[in-house]
Structures are given as structure tokens and as C-alpha cells.
Amino acid sequence: MLEPRGNGMALHTAPWFSALQICKRLSIAKSLKLPNAPNLDYHTIDNIAATWSSTFQEAEHGIIIDQLRDVHGFHAMNLQVLGCAGGIGGRERLTTCLLLDDDILLDAGTGLASLDMEQLVKIEHVFLSHSHLDHIAGLALLADAILGKKVGPVTIHATDKVMATLKSHFFNWLIWPDFATIPSAGNSVLRWETVQHGVAIDLGGRSIVANPVNHSVDATSYLVRERGAAFLFTGDMSTTPALWEKMKSETTLAKVIVDCSFTDADSELAAVSGHYCPRTLQDDIQFMPKSTEFLIYHLKPGQEEIIMQELKSNAKGRSFEALRCGDRFVF
């Protein structure tokens, strides 16, 4: 049922017929084309949540979706942007970290610091795209924070090269303790697991597939699927035609979170450092479906507006939007 709460509404778990009646009373049933059955698809569920969130200012998208997906065991992936900046001092202040549901992280930059202890101890898996500091800084502090507060280790998924780099240069007792051996090798805070490109890792019905991308170091993108929905997190990358050749046939791929760090004027710097600029990104994705939404992250501080203007001025019918810290998506 929907009950008044100040200027907004609070959503409580209800049977599907009640949810449908609520939608009809809000005059959104026709636009959403709601079926008269509990088999609502993911996009319809997201539309319901988004509509309620925009209609009632205090109705939070995440709370609504949690309520909806509890009915009849329905589940949808909930993605929260904890950090997406390409550096410090710009419009976004926290570096790359995405929270999938409440137990999986995609990268572990400084955005991880926005979680409280109750949220930190729920983390079970961290998928690393590459070894650069702005994507791993939070991992060190996560390990320290949850020591003695969590049963079982957090599994760190990464390529062999990324793991070797972090073991040699980061978790080496010089920069930071080796939390894969603390408090003991058999009872550690962290454990390492190698990702194999093209091989799906199933975690509670969520399928995560790694694909290589070109960057200045060994780097990986992650395609995340659950039932009829999918999104792609590219990590930091530059021109990688093979990735987009695979992705163009992913019919359930709704959104792509992709790096575009530099302006076209800095294309040489982008190439040397292994990042996209608008021109190279648009060249790479030219055969992707126009329905795919591109969410741009890792914008360099002070260059955000110019990069987005360059992308949108040559969009050719594509959707480009800047990712923001605090953004939430449901798949």
C-alpha cells in the first residue's frame, strides 16, 4: 500500500494486484502497459520505480525496487555508483567504485569510503578492472576495516597479471600488509581468484564475464547479466574493436558504463595513457545498437563539460550521459 509521508509517499510490500491498482490510480498503468499478472519484466519494474520516485520526492528508487522485487521472489540487479571520477578536484570527487546489490563491487576506488561498516561487512566479491591506484585504493582500507568483523574472506577477482602486480607492489608489507595472510593464511581477510576471459562467473544468478580491453596496463571489462537484463562496465580503456564486436550482439545490453577521459584536443595524451577521447570512442561504438545508453565515467577534472559537449555534438542518435556519484540503476 502507499501511505502519506510528508509531501511524498512510503511504499510497503503489497500483492501484485495491489501494485497494479496503485499504478492505475497514479495514471501510469497505460503508459507502462502493465500486464494483469505478476510476470512484469525488468524494464517495467524499473519504470514503475522511476515513475514513483519522480512523482513522490521522498520515494527513493532503491527502496521502491527492493519492495517490488520481494513480491513473489522477484529479483533485479541494483547498481549504485559510489565513485566515478577521473581524478580529484573536479565535479566528481570520488574515484571508481560500483556497488552491485549489496555484496559485489566493481573496482574499489575511493568511492568505497562512502559505505558504513554495516555495508562494508556485506561485501563478498570485488572485481578489479586493472591495477591503477584510483581503482584499488579503497581495497586496502576495506581489508583493514572488516578485519575481525566478518566471517570468511572477501574474494578478489582479477587477471593473473593484475594479481601479481598488487601482490608485489601493494599488498607487500611495505605499502600495505598482505591481508591474504592476515590473521592467518587459512583464515584470511582477502582471497584471490583468477578471472578467465570469456568464462562466466555465476554469483547467485548474476553472471559476470570478463573481456580484455586495451589500456596502459593489463585491463578487463565486465559484462554483468541476470536473466533478461545486462550492463557493461568497461573499466579504463582505449580503442578495442574486439570488445564492441562482441557487445553488438548482446540483445539484453541496456547500458554501458564507459571511460572517456580526455577531450579530442588531448587525443595524443589519451592514446599514450590508454584512454578514450570522444572521437575514438565514437569510432569504436559505431556498430553498436542506437538503443544502447552510454554512461560516461572517468572524465578528467575540469574537462567534464567539454568532453560531454563533444560527445553529444556528434551523437548520431546515440545517448551519452555523464555518470554521477550517487546514481542508481536497476536491471
Side-chain angles (χ1 to χ4, degrees):
M1 301 291 291
L2 281 171
E3 298 178 354
R5 188 183 66 186
N7 295 324
M9 293 283 185
L11 180 70
H12 300 283
T13 302
W16 277 114
F17 73 88
S18 296
L20 293 173
Q21 291 303 314
I22 290 166
C23 290
K24 290 174 182 177
R25 287 200 296 271
L26 293 175
S27 300
I28 63 174
K30 183 176 180 180
S31 63
L32 292 178
K33 299 179 180 178
L34 293 175
N36 293 312
N39 299 318
L40 302 183
D41 61 51
Y42 291 89
H43 298 297
T44 300
I45 292 296
D46 193 21
N47 284 340
I48 295 172
T51 302
W52 280 340
S53 295
S54 61
T55 303
F56 305 109
Q57 293 181 356
E58 295 185 21
E60 297 179 15
H61 186 271
I63 294 174
I64 291 173
I65 206 70
D66 286 341
Q67 298 285 351
L68 287 171
R69 71 187 186 182
D70 283 343
V71 181
H72 299 301
F74 185 92
H75 183 266
M77 295 185 294
N78 200 336
L79 184 69
Q80 180 180 355
V81 180
L82 304 180
C84 57
I88 61 174
R91 185 175 65 189
E92 300 296 329
R93 303 301 175 88
L94 300 174
T95 65
T96 309
C97 187
L98 308 177
L99 177 63
L100 179 60
D101 295 328
D102 59 2
D103 60 334
I104 297 175
L105 293 177
L106 301 176
D107 279 345
T110 60
L112 184 50
S114 62
L115 298 183
D116 60 27
M117 186 58 68
E118 182 179 356
Q119 294 170 306
L120 291 174
V121 298
K122 292 179 181 179
I123 302 300
E124 298 290 344
H125 300 270
V126 180
F127 287 79
L128 297 179
S129 65
H130 64 294
S131 58
H132 282 161
L133 185 62
D134 56 328
H135 296 255
I136 66 165
L139 182 59
L141 299 176
L142 169 66
D144 183 60
I146 64 175
L147 176 62
K149 301 180 181 69
K150 177 179 173 58
V151 177
V154 174
T155 301
I156 311 302
H157 303 264
T159 65
D160 284 332
K161 288 183 178 180
V162 169
M163 286 195 297
T165 297
L166 295 184
K167 289 177 181 180
S168 297
H169 303 291
F170 196 54
F171 292 106
N172 60 1
W173 293 101
L174 298 175
I175 301 298
W176 204 248
D178 180 5
F179 277 90
T181 63
I182 296 176
S184 66
N187 182 32
S188 59
V189 176
L190 304 179
R191 63 178 290 269
W192 299 96
E193 185 167 309
T194 301
V195 295
Q196 302 289 341
H197 291 147
V199 178
I201 298 172
D202 185 83
L203 299 172
R206 298 156 299 183
S207 172
I208 302 178
V209 181
N211 285 288
V213 296
N214 292 322
H215 189 39
S216 57
V217 294
D218 188 70
T220 300
S221 66
Y222 291 105
L223 175 66
V224 184
R225 301 189 191 99
E226 185 175 28
R227 298 182 186 177
F231 71 91
L232 174 70
F233 169 57
T234 69
D236 291 5
M237 69 175 295
S238 59
T239 298
T240 309
L243 175 68
W244 304 111
E245 181 65 26
K246 285 185 178 181
M247 292 303 110
K248 72 180 184 181
S249 60
E250 287 287 338
T251 57
T252 61
L253 181 59
K255 299 180 190 295
V256 174
I257 299 173
V258 61
D259 161 28
C260 192
S261 297
F262 294 97
T263 65
D264 282 339
D266 288 325
S267 59
E268 291 185 6
L269 178 57
V272 169
S273 59
H275 290 282
Y276 277 129
C277 63
R279 185 177 65 253
T280 54
L281 172 58
Q282 288 163 329
D283 286 346
D284 253 20
I285 64 172
Q286 60 181 305
F287 299 114
M288 288 289 291
K290 294 291 179 66
S291 59
T292 305
E293 182 179 1
F294 288 86
L295 302 170
I296 310 303
Y297 94 103
H298 212 269
L299 297 155
K300 287 299 180 182
Q303 301 297 310
E304 298 97 337
E305 295 301 327
I306 299 175
I307 295 169
M308 293 309 302
Q309 287 172 7
E310 291 180 343
L311 284 169
K312 291 183 177 183
S313 67
N314 192 33
K316 297 179 180 178
R318 298 190 184 282
S319 173
F320 295 105
E321 296 296 336
L323 201 64
R324 303 298 296 264
C325 184
D327 281 348
R328 290 175 179 267
F329 306 96
V330 178
F331 301 90

